[in-house]
PDB file of all heavy atoms in Angstrom:
ATOM      1  N   ALA A   8      38.113 -56.571  21.256  1.00 98.00           N
ATOM      2  CA  ALA A   8      37.408 -55.474  20.532  1.00 98.00           C
ATOM      3  C   ALA A   8      37.525 -54.110  21.118  1.00 98.00           C
ATOM      4  O   ALA A   8      36.938 -53.143  20.617  1.00 98.00           O
ATOM      5  CB  ALA A   8      35.841 -55.780  20.432  1.00 98.00           C
ATOM      6  N   LYS A   9      38.391 -53.885  22.161  1.00 96.00           N
ATOM      7  CA  LYS A   9      38.537 -52.697  22.797  1.00 96.00           C
ATOM      8  C   LYS A   9      38.928 -51.586  21.859  1.00 96.00           C
ATOM      9  O   LYS A   9      39.770 -51.850  20.910  1.00 96.00           O
ATOM     10  CB  LYS A   9      39.681 -52.773  23.948  1.00 96.00           C
ATOM     11  CG  LYS A   9      39.881 -51.581  24.649  1.00 96.00           C
ATOM     12  CD  LYS A   9      41.026 -51.765  25.743  1.00 96.00           C
ATOM     13  CE  LYS A   9      41.180 -50.542  26.553  1.00 96.00           C
ATOM     14  NZ  LYS A   9      42.165 -50.745  27.673  1.00 96.00           N
ATOM     15  N   GLY A  10      38.252 -50.436  21.991  1.00 96.00           N
ATOM     16  CA  GLY A  10      38.493 -49.405  21.076  1.00 96.00           C
ATOM     17  C   GLY A  10      37.310 -49.071  20.091  1.00 96.00           C
ATOM     18  O   GLY A  10      37.255 -47.963  19.523  1.00 96.00           O
ATOM     19  N   CYS A  11      36.337 -50.066  20.060  1.00 98.00           N
ATOM     20  CA  CYS A  11      35.151 -49.773  19.155  1.00 98.00           C
ATOM     21  C   CYS A  11      34.116 -48.951  20.077  1.00 98.00           C
ATOM     22  O   CYS A  11      34.209 -48.815  21.318  1.00 98.00           O
ATOM     23  CB  CYS A  11      34.631 -51.092  18.599  1.00 98.00           C
ATOM     24  SG  CYS A  11      33.850 -52.080  19.831  1.00 98.00           S
ATOM     25  N   ASP A  12      33.144 -48.430  19.361  1.00 98.00           N
ATOM     26  CA  ASP A  12      32.058 -47.741  20.026  1.00 98.00           C
ATOM     27  C   ASP A  12      30.858 -48.686  20.236  1.00 98.00           C
ATOM     28  O   ASP A  12      30.197 -48.553  21.385  1.00 98.00           O
ATOM     29  CB  ASP A  12      31.529 -46.515  19.126  1.00 98.00           C
ATOM     30  CG  ASP A  12      32.714 -45.581  18.787  1.00 98.00           C
ATOM     31  OD1 ASP A  12      33.061 -44.815  19.841  1.00 98.00           O
ATOM     32  OD2 ASP A  12      33.274 -45.454  17.780  1.00 98.00           O
ATOM     33  N   TYR A  13      30.649 -49.502  19.332  1.00 98.00           N
ATOM     34  CA  TYR A  13      29.480 -50.462  19.486  1.00 98.00           C
ATOM     35  C   TYR A  13      30.008 -51.875  19.106  1.00 98.00           C
ATOM     36  O   TYR A  13      30.825 -52.036  18.281  1.00 98.00           O
ATOM     37  CB  TYR A  13      28.309 -50.101  18.585  1.00 98.00           C
ATOM     38  CG  TYR A  13      27.703 -48.778  18.919  1.00 98.00           C
ATOM     39  CD1 TYR A  13      27.966 -47.646  18.189  1.00 98.00           C
ATOM     40  CD2 TYR A  13      26.799 -48.548  20.010  1.00 98.00           C
ATOM     41  CE1 TYR A  13      27.432 -46.354  18.491  1.00 98.00           C
ATOM     42  CE2 TYR A  13      26.291 -47.325  20.404  1.00 98.00           C
ATOM     43  CZ  TYR A  13      26.631 -46.238  19.658  1.00 98.00           C
ATOM     44  OH  TYR A  13      26.057 -45.045  19.938  1.00 98.00           O
ATOM     45  N   VAL A  14      29.394 -52.903  19.691  1.00 98.00           N
ATOM     46  CA  VAL A  14      29.741 -54.259  19.431  1.00 98.00           C
ATOM     47  C   VAL A  14      28.468 -55.065  19.192  1.00 98.00           C
ATOM     48  O   VAL A  14      27.438 -54.912  19.853  1.00 98.00           O
ATOM     49  CB  VAL A  14      30.623 -54.777  20.581  1.00 98.00           C
ATOM     50  CG1 VAL A  14      29.827 -54.849  21.913  1.00 98.00           C
ATOM     51  CG2 VAL A  14      31.098 -56.230  20.278  1.00 98.00           C
ATOM     52  N   LEU A  15      28.613 -55.945  18.195  1.00 98.00           N
ATOM     53  CA  LEU A  15      27.457 -56.904  17.912  1.00 98.00           C
ATOM     54  C   LEU A  15      28.012 -58.338  18.170  1.00 98.00           C
ATOM     55  O   LEU A  15      29.012 -58.684  17.697  1.00 98.00           O
ATOM     56  CB  LEU A  15      27.035 -56.857  16.411  1.00 98.00           C
ATOM     57  CG  LEU A  15      26.213 -55.590  16.034  1.00 98.00           C
ATOM     58  CD1 LEU A  15      27.065 -54.349  15.826  1.00 98.00           C
ATOM     59  CD2 LEU A  15      25.461 -55.897  14.761  1.00 98.00           C
ATOM     60  N   ILE A  16      27.369 -59.079  19.059  1.00 98.00           N
ATOM     61  CA  ILE A  16      27.831 -60.399  19.370  1.00 98.00           C
ATOM     62  C   ILE A  16      26.934 -61.440  18.677  1.00 98.00           C
ATOM     63  O   ILE A  16      25.709 -61.360  18.924  1.00 98.00           O
ATOM     64  CB  ILE A  16      27.718 -60.539  20.967  1.00 98.00           C
ATOM     65  CG1 ILE A  16      28.528 -59.448  21.536  1.00 98.00           C
ATOM     66  CG2 ILE A  16      28.284 -61.951  21.306  1.00 98.00           C
ATOM     67  CD1 ILE A  16      28.413 -59.290  23.092  1.00 98.00           C
ATOM     68  N   HIS A  17      27.556 -62.347  17.884  1.00 98.00           N
ATOM     69  CA  HIS A  17      26.796 -63.261  17.041  1.00 98.00           C
ATOM     70  C   HIS A  17      27.350 -64.720  17.213  1.00 98.00           C
ATOM     71  O   HIS A  17      28.506 -64.937  17.258  1.00 98.00           O
ATOM     72  CB  HIS A  17      26.869 -62.849  15.717  1.00 98.00           C
ATOM     73  CG  HIS A  17      25.977 -63.667  14.808  1.00 98.00           C
ATOM     74  ND1 HIS A  17      24.626 -63.759  14.849  1.00 98.00           N
ATOM     75  CD2 HIS A  17      26.296 -64.543  13.658  1.00 98.00           C
ATOM     76  CE1 HIS A  17      24.082 -64.559  13.857  1.00 98.00           C
ATOM     77  NE2 HIS A  17      25.175 -64.967  13.208  1.00 98.00           N
ATOM     78  N   ASP A  18      26.388 -65.615  17.277  1.00 97.00           N
ATOM     79  CA  ASP A  18      26.739 -67.030  17.366  1.00 97.00           C
ATOM     80  C   ASP A  18      27.020 -67.553  15.953  1.00 97.00           C
ATOM     81  O   ASP A  18      26.183 -67.386  15.048  1.00 97.00           O
ATOM     82  CB  ASP A  18      25.635 -67.934  17.959  1.00 97.00           C
ATOM     83  CG  ASP A  18      25.393 -67.593  19.369  1.00 97.00           C
ATOM     84  OD1 ASP A  18      26.464 -67.361  20.155  1.00 97.00           O
ATOM     85  OD2 ASP A  18      24.260 -67.630  19.849  1.00 97.00           O
ATOM     86  N   GLY A  19      28.224 -68.039  15.774  1.00 96.00           N
ATOM     87  CA  GLY A  19      28.585 -68.504  14.452  1.00 96.00           C
ATOM     88  C   GLY A  19      27.741 -69.728  13.959  1.00 96.00           C
ATOM     89  O   GLY A  19      27.783 -69.969  12.769  1.00 96.00           O
ATOM     90  N   ALA A  20      27.010 -70.335  14.821  1.00 95.00           N
ATOM     91  CA  ALA A  20      26.200 -71.502  14.472  1.00 95.00           C
ATOM     92  C   ALA A  20      24.692 -70.975  13.941  1.00 95.00           C
ATOM     93  O   ALA A  20      23.940 -71.771  13.683  1.00 95.00           O
ATOM     94  CB  ALA A  20      25.981 -72.422  15.660  1.00 95.00           C
ATOM     95  N   ARG A  21      24.679 -69.656  13.827  1.00 97.00           N
ATOM     96  CA  ARG A  21      23.486 -69.094  13.236  1.00 97.00           C
ATOM     97  C   ARG A  21      23.780 -68.530  11.795  1.00 97.00           C
ATOM     98  O   ARG A  21      24.223 -67.446  11.742  1.00 97.00           O
ATOM     99  CB  ARG A  21      22.819 -67.953  14.028  1.00 97.00           C
ATOM    100  CG  ARG A  21      22.201 -68.431  15.316  1.00 97.00           C
ATOM    101  CD  ARG A  21      21.557 -67.274  16.020  1.00 97.00           C
ATOM    102  NE  ARG A  21      21.095 -67.629  17.426  1.00 97.00           N
ATOM    103  CZ  ARG A  21      19.810 -68.186  17.627  1.00 97.00           C
ATOM    104  NH1 ARG A  21      19.068 -68.337  16.614  1.00 97.00           N
ATOM    105  NH2 ARG A  21      19.502 -68.409  18.948  1.00 97.00           N
ATOM    106  N   PRO A  22      23.710 -69.395  10.847  1.00 97.00           N
ATOM    107  CA  PRO A  22      24.190 -68.975   9.447  1.00 97.00           C
ATOM    108  C   PRO A  22      23.380 -68.011   8.710  1.00 97.00           C
ATOM    109  O   PRO A  22      23.737 -67.489   7.643  1.00 97.00           O
ATOM    110  CB  PRO A  22      24.320 -70.355   8.761  1.00 97.00           C
ATOM    111  CG  PRO A  22      23.300 -71.193   9.348  1.00 97.00           C
ATOM    112  CD  PRO A  22      23.254 -70.757  10.790  1.00 97.00           C
ATOM    113  N   PHE A  23      22.140 -67.837   9.167  1.00 98.00           N
ATOM    114  CA  PHE A  23      21.131 -67.010   8.315  1.00 98.00           C
ATOM    115  C   PHE A  23      20.959 -65.527   8.853  1.00 98.00           C
ATOM    116  O   PHE A  23      19.923 -64.967   8.661  1.00 98.00           O
ATOM    117  CB  PHE A  23      19.803 -67.816   8.260  1.00 98.00           C
ATOM    118  CG  PHE A  23      19.962 -69.093   7.549  1.00 98.00           C
ATOM    119  CD1 PHE A  23      19.700 -70.336   8.252  1.00 98.00           C
ATOM    120  CD2 PHE A  23      20.445 -69.218   6.244  1.00 98.00           C
ATOM    121  CE1 PHE A  23      19.859 -71.534   7.651  1.00 98.00           C
ATOM    122  CE2 PHE A  23      20.591 -70.465   5.617  1.00 98.00           C
ATOM    123  CZ  PHE A  23      20.305 -71.611   6.367  1.00 98.00           C
ATOM    124  N   LEU A  24      21.985 -65.038   9.378  1.00 98.00           N
ATOM    125  CA  LEU A  24      22.082 -63.603   9.649  1.00 98.00           C
ATOM    126  C   LEU A  24      21.995 -62.885   8.271  1.00 98.00           C
ATOM    127  O   LEU A  24      22.472 -63.398   7.229  1.00 98.00           O
ATOM    128  CB  LEU A  24      23.497 -63.319  10.189  1.00 98.00           C
ATOM    129  CG  LEU A  24      23.848 -61.757  10.263  1.00 98.00           C
ATOM    130  CD1 LEU A  24      22.998 -61.017  11.260  1.00 98.00           C
ATOM    131  CD2 LEU A  24      25.286 -61.710  10.698  1.00 98.00           C
ATOM    132  N   ASP A  25      21.193 -61.666   8.185  1.00 97.00           N
ATOM    133  CA  ASP A  25      21.117 -61.043   6.895  1.00 97.00           C
ATOM    134  C   ASP A  25      21.266 -59.533   7.069  1.00 97.00           C
ATOM    135  O   ASP A  25      21.321 -59.040   8.294  1.00 97.00           O
ATOM    136  CB  ASP A  25      19.837 -61.365   6.214  1.00 97.00           C
ATOM    137  CG  ASP A  25      18.554 -60.964   6.952  1.00 97.00           C
ATOM    138  OD1 ASP A  25      18.635 -59.882   7.637  1.00 97.00           O
ATOM    139  OD2 ASP A  25      17.642 -61.785   6.975  1.00 97.00           O
ATOM    140  N   GLU A  26      21.514 -58.795   6.043  1.00 98.00           N
ATOM    141  CA  GLU A  26      21.771 -57.412   6.016  1.00 98.00           C
ATOM    142  C   GLU A  26      20.547 -56.642   6.654  1.00 98.00           C
ATOM    143  O   GLU A  26      20.784 -55.592   7.403  1.00 98.00           O
ATOM    144  CB  GLU A  26      22.058 -56.907   4.623  1.00 98.00           C
ATOM    145  CG  GLU A  26      22.300 -55.360   4.565  1.00 98.00           C
ATOM    146  CD  GLU A  26      23.655 -54.914   5.205  1.00 98.00           C
ATOM    147  OE1 GLU A  26      24.375 -55.773   5.590  1.00 98.00           O
ATOM    148  OE2 GLU A  26      23.743 -53.677   5.392  1.00 98.00           O
ATOM    149  N   GLU A  27      19.386 -57.060   6.455  1.00 98.00           N
ATOM    150  CA  GLU A  27      18.234 -56.369   6.958  1.00 98.00           C
ATOM    151  C   GLU A  27      18.285 -56.370   8.546  1.00 98.00           C
ATOM    152  O   GLU A  27      17.942 -55.387   9.108  1.00 98.00           O
ATOM    153  CB  GLU A  27      16.881 -56.991   6.455  1.00 98.00           C
ATOM    154  CG  GLU A  27      16.610 -56.777   5.004  1.00 98.00           C
ATOM    155  CD  GLU A  27      17.428 -57.573   4.063  1.00 98.00           C
ATOM    156  OE1 GLU A  27      18.060 -58.620   4.551  1.00 98.00           O
ATOM    157  OE2 GLU A  27      17.626 -57.180   2.923  1.00 98.00           O
ATOM    158  N   MET A  28      18.640 -57.495   9.085  1.00 98.00           N
ATOM    159  CA  MET A  28      18.833 -57.473  10.526  1.00 98.00           C
ATOM    160  C   MET A  28      19.851 -56.426  11.063  1.00 98.00           C
ATOM    161  O   MET A  28      19.616 -55.750  12.086  1.00 98.00           O
ATOM    162  CB  MET A  28      19.231 -58.853  11.041  1.00 98.00           C
ATOM    163  CG  MET A  28      18.057 -59.823  11.291  1.00 98.00           C
ATOM    164  SD  MET A  28      18.747 -61.422  11.838  1.00 98.00           S
ATOM    165  CE  MET A  28      18.305 -62.482  10.530  1.00 98.00           C
ATOM    166  N   LEU A  29      20.957 -56.512  10.350  1.00 98.00           N
ATOM    167  CA  LEU A  29      22.086 -55.496  10.709  1.00 98.00           C
ATOM    168  C   LEU A  29      21.580 -54.042  10.515  1.00 98.00           C
ATOM    169  O   LEU A  29      21.958 -53.234  11.454  1.00 98.00           O
ATOM    170  CB  LEU A  29      23.244 -55.750   9.839  1.00 98.00           C
ATOM    171  CG  LEU A  29      23.954 -57.046  10.057  1.00 98.00           C
ATOM    172  CD1 LEU A  29      25.103 -57.224   9.017  1.00 98.00           C
ATOM    173  CD2 LEU A  29      24.462 -57.319  11.372  1.00 98.00           C
ATOM    174  N   VAL A  30      20.778 -53.746   9.614  1.00 98.00           N
ATOM    175  CA  VAL A  30      20.348 -52.442   9.423  1.00 98.00           C
ATOM    176  C   VAL A  30      19.420 -51.997  10.506  1.00 98.00           C
ATOM    177  O   VAL A  30      19.448 -50.896  11.135  1.00 98.00           O
ATOM    178  CB  VAL A  30      19.506 -52.274   8.009  1.00 98.00           C
ATOM    179  CG1 VAL A  30      18.796 -50.950   7.918  1.00 98.00           C
ATOM    180  CG2 VAL A  30      20.497 -52.420   6.876  1.00 98.00           C
ATOM    181  N   ARG A  31      18.450 -52.910  10.902  1.00 98.00           N
ATOM    182  CA  ARG A  31      17.542 -52.648  12.050  1.00 98.00           C
ATOM    183  C   ARG A  31      18.334 -52.506  13.339  1.00 98.00           C
ATOM    184  O   ARG A  31      17.950 -51.565  14.081  1.00 98.00           O
ATOM    185  CB  ARG A  31      16.529 -53.708  12.063  1.00 98.00           C
ATOM    186  CG  ARG A  31      15.448 -53.698  11.002  1.00 98.00           C
ATOM    187  CD  ARG A  31      14.206 -54.617  11.226  1.00 98.00           C
ATOM    188  NE  ARG A  31      14.650 -56.189  11.276  1.00 98.00           N
ATOM    189  CZ  ARG A  31      14.645 -56.925  10.222  1.00 98.00           C
ATOM    190  NH1 ARG A  31      14.315 -56.423   9.001  1.00 98.00           N
ATOM    191  NH2 ARG A  31      14.990 -58.236  10.428  1.00 98.00           N
ATOM    192  N   LEU A  32      19.253 -53.331  13.511  1.00 97.00           N
ATOM    193  CA  LEU A  32      20.029 -53.246  14.788  1.00 97.00           C
ATOM    194  C   LEU A  32      20.860 -51.972  14.886  1.00 97.00           C
ATOM    195  O   LEU A  32      20.817 -51.271  15.896  1.00 97.00           O
ATOM    196  CB  LEU A  32      20.937 -54.438  14.874  1.00 97.00           C
ATOM    197  CG  LEU A  32      20.507 -55.697  15.590  1.00 97.00           C
ATOM    198  CD1 LEU A  32      21.574 -56.794  15.536  1.00 97.00           C
ATOM    199  CD2 LEU A  32      20.112 -55.508  16.988  1.00 97.00           C
ATOM    200  N   THR A  33      21.546 -51.680  13.919  1.00 97.00           N
ATOM    201  CA  THR A  33      22.440 -50.543  13.966  1.00 97.00           C
ATOM    202  C   THR A  33      21.675 -49.201  13.974  1.00 97.00           C
ATOM    203  O   THR A  33      22.199 -48.130  14.427  1.00 97.00           O
ATOM    204  CB  THR A  33      23.551 -50.616  12.763  1.00 97.00           C
ATOM    205  OG1 THR A  33      22.938 -50.683  11.579  1.00 97.00           O
ATOM    206  CG2 THR A  33      24.431 -51.752  13.055  1.00 97.00           C
ATOM    207  N   ALA A  34      20.491 -49.179  13.434  1.00 98.00           N
ATOM    208  CA  ALA A  34      19.666 -48.016  13.464  1.00 98.00           C
ATOM    209  C   ALA A  34      19.126 -47.709  14.852  1.00 98.00           C
ATOM    210  O   ALA A  34      19.157 -46.577  15.197  1.00 98.00           O
ATOM    211  CB  ALA A  34      18.497 -48.120  12.460  1.00 98.00           C
ATOM    212  N   ALA A  35      18.854 -48.778  15.583  1.00 98.00           N
ATOM    213  CA  ALA A  35      18.287 -48.672  16.906  1.00 98.00           C
ATOM    214  C   ALA A  35      19.334 -48.440  17.938  1.00 98.00           C
ATOM    215  O   ALA A  35      19.134 -47.938  19.015  1.00 98.00           O
ATOM    216  CB  ALA A  35      17.382 -49.830  17.219  1.00 98.00           C
ATOM    217  N   LEU A  36      20.527 -49.079  17.679  1.00 98.00           N
ATOM    218  CA  LEU A  36      21.600 -49.093  18.676  1.00 98.00           C
ATOM    219  C   LEU A  36      22.076 -47.738  19.389  1.00 98.00           C
ATOM    220  O   LEU A  36      22.106 -47.659  20.545  1.00 98.00           O
ATOM    221  CB  LEU A  36      22.767 -49.747  18.142  1.00 98.00           C
ATOM    222  CG  LEU A  36      23.884 -50.329  19.089  1.00 98.00           C
ATOM    223  CD1 LEU A  36      23.341 -51.009  20.302  1.00 98.00           C
ATOM    224  CD2 LEU A  36      24.868 -51.134  18.301  1.00 98.00           C
ATOM    225  N   PRO A  37      22.171 -46.713  18.509  1.00 97.00           N
ATOM    226  CA  PRO A  37      22.583 -45.483  19.115  1.00 97.00           C
ATOM    227  C   PRO A  37      21.468 -44.792  20.040  1.00 97.00           C
ATOM    228  O   PRO A  37      21.744 -43.961  20.872  1.00 97.00           O
ATOM    229  CB  PRO A  37      22.890 -44.553  17.961  1.00 97.00           C
ATOM    230  CG  PRO A  37      23.235 -45.479  16.842  1.00 97.00           C
ATOM    231  CD  PRO A  37      22.363 -46.565  17.089  1.00 97.00           C
ATOM    232  N   ILE A  38      20.260 -45.268  19.827  1.00 98.00           N
ATOM    233  CA  ILE A  38      19.106 -44.747  20.616  1.00 98.00           C
ATOM    234  C   ILE A  38      18.931 -45.532  21.915  1.00 98.00           C
ATOM    235  O   ILE A  38      18.784 -44.901  22.937  1.00 98.00           O
ATOM    236  CB  ILE A  38      17.784 -44.926  19.771  1.00 98.00           C
ATOM    237  CG1 ILE A  38      17.848 -44.131  18.498  1.00 98.00           C
ATOM    238  CG2 ILE A  38      16.652 -44.360  20.640  1.00 98.00           C
ATOM    239  CD1 ILE A  38      16.802 -44.315  17.459  1.00 98.00           C
ATOM    240  N   TRP A  39      19.075 -46.840  21.863  1.00 98.00           N
ATOM    241  CA  TRP A  39      18.796 -47.743  22.980  1.00 98.00           C
ATOM    242  C   TRP A  39      20.005 -48.267  23.719  1.00 98.00           C
ATOM    243  O   TRP A  39      19.924 -48.657  24.853  1.00 98.00           O
ATOM    244  CB  TRP A  39      17.926 -48.897  22.469  1.00 98.00           C
ATOM    245  CG  TRP A  39      16.620 -48.450  22.023  1.00 98.00           C
ATOM    246  CD1 TRP A  39      16.199 -48.261  20.740  1.00 98.00           C
ATOM    247  CD2 TRP A  39      15.400 -48.169  22.889  1.00 98.00           C
ATOM    248  NE1 TRP A  39      14.870 -47.861  20.722  1.00 98.00           N
ATOM    249  CE2 TRP A  39      14.378 -47.802  21.951  1.00 98.00           C
ATOM    250  CE3 TRP A  39      15.177 -48.205  24.204  1.00 98.00           C
ATOM    251  CZ2 TRP A  39      13.136 -47.479  22.488  1.00 98.00           C
ATOM    252  CZ3 TRP A  39      13.980 -47.878  24.672  1.00 98.00           C
ATOM    253  CH2 TRP A  39      12.958 -47.534  23.853  1.00 98.00           C
ATOM    254  N   ASN A  40      21.136 -48.199  23.047  1.00 98.00           N
ATOM    255  CA  ASN A  40      22.447 -48.754  23.609  1.00 98.00           C
ATOM    256  C   ASN A  40      22.505 -50.216  23.894  1.00 98.00           C
ATOM    257  O   ASN A  40      23.573 -50.720  24.085  1.00 98.00           O
ATOM    258  CB  ASN A  40      22.736 -47.956  24.907  1.00 98.00           C
ATOM    259  CG  ASN A  40      22.934 -46.491  24.734  1.00 98.00           C
ATOM    260  OD1 ASN A  40      23.603 -46.084  23.713  1.00 98.00           O
ATOM    261  ND2 ASN A  40      22.418 -45.626  25.528  1.00 98.00           N
ATOM    262  N   ALA A  41      21.313 -50.819  23.810  1.00 98.00           N
ATOM    263  CA  ALA A  41      21.401 -52.349  24.039  1.00 98.00           C
ATOM    264  C   ALA A  41      20.104 -52.913  23.331  1.00 98.00           C
ATOM    265  O   ALA A  41      19.068 -52.499  23.560  1.00 98.00           O
ATOM    266  CB  ALA A  41      21.207 -52.704  25.563  1.00 98.00           C
ATOM    267  N   CYS A  42      20.366 -53.740  22.268  1.00 98.00           N
ATOM    268  CA  CYS A  42      19.342 -54.270  21.387  1.00 98.00           C
ATOM    269  C   CYS A  42      19.606 -55.714  21.109  1.00 98.00           C
ATOM    270  O   CYS A  42      20.768 -56.173  20.924  1.00 98.00           O
ATOM    271  CB  CYS A  42      19.350 -53.544  20.039  1.00 98.00           C
ATOM    272  SG  CYS A  42      19.146 -51.729  20.176  1.00 98.00           S
ATOM    273  N   VAL A  43      18.543 -56.516  20.964  1.00 98.00           N
ATOM    274  CA  VAL A  43      18.750 -57.939  20.576  1.00 98.00           C
ATOM    275  C   VAL A  43      17.687 -58.271  19.568  1.00 98.00           C
ATOM    276  O   VAL A  43      16.551 -57.754  19.566  1.00 98.00           O
ATOM    277  CB  VAL A  43      18.534 -58.880  21.808  1.00 98.00           C
ATOM    278  CG1 VAL A  43      19.632 -58.611  22.903  1.00 98.00           C
ATOM    279  CG2 VAL A  43      17.186 -58.815  22.377  1.00 98.00           C
ATOM    280  N   VAL A  44      18.039 -59.111  18.557  1.00 98.00           N
ATOM    281  CA  VAL A  44      17.061 -59.578  17.629  1.00 98.00           C
ATOM    282  C   VAL A  44      16.365 -60.823  18.178  1.00 98.00           C
ATOM    283  O   VAL A  44      16.841 -61.518  18.954  1.00 98.00           O
ATOM    284  CB  VAL A  44      17.657 -59.935  16.246  1.00 98.00           C
ATOM    285  CG1 VAL A  44      18.227 -58.731  15.640  1.00 98.00           C
ATOM    286  CG2 VAL A  44      18.741 -61.005  16.343  1.00 98.00           C
TER     287      VAL A  44
END
């Protein structure tokens, strides 16, 4: 993934990821630099 600004690491065995989680994470990420759901 070298070359990106931010990275999200997800377990493929968690099938119920949703857009709302992504919105909350990516909104907080530039402020905190490290976020987990």
Side-chain angles (χ1 to χ4, degrees):
K9 185 178 180 180
C11 70
D12 298 288
Y13 297 102
V14 62
L15 287 76
I16 304 167
H17 184 62
D18 291 324
R21 290 187 187 270
F23 298 116
L24 170 67
D25 59 40
E26 177 67 11
E27 288 75 20
M28 277 184 242
L29 295 178
V30 169
R31 290 192 291 270
L32 268 177
T33 54
L36 193 49
I38 301 169
W39 294 96
N40 296 318
C42 305
V43 299
V44 297

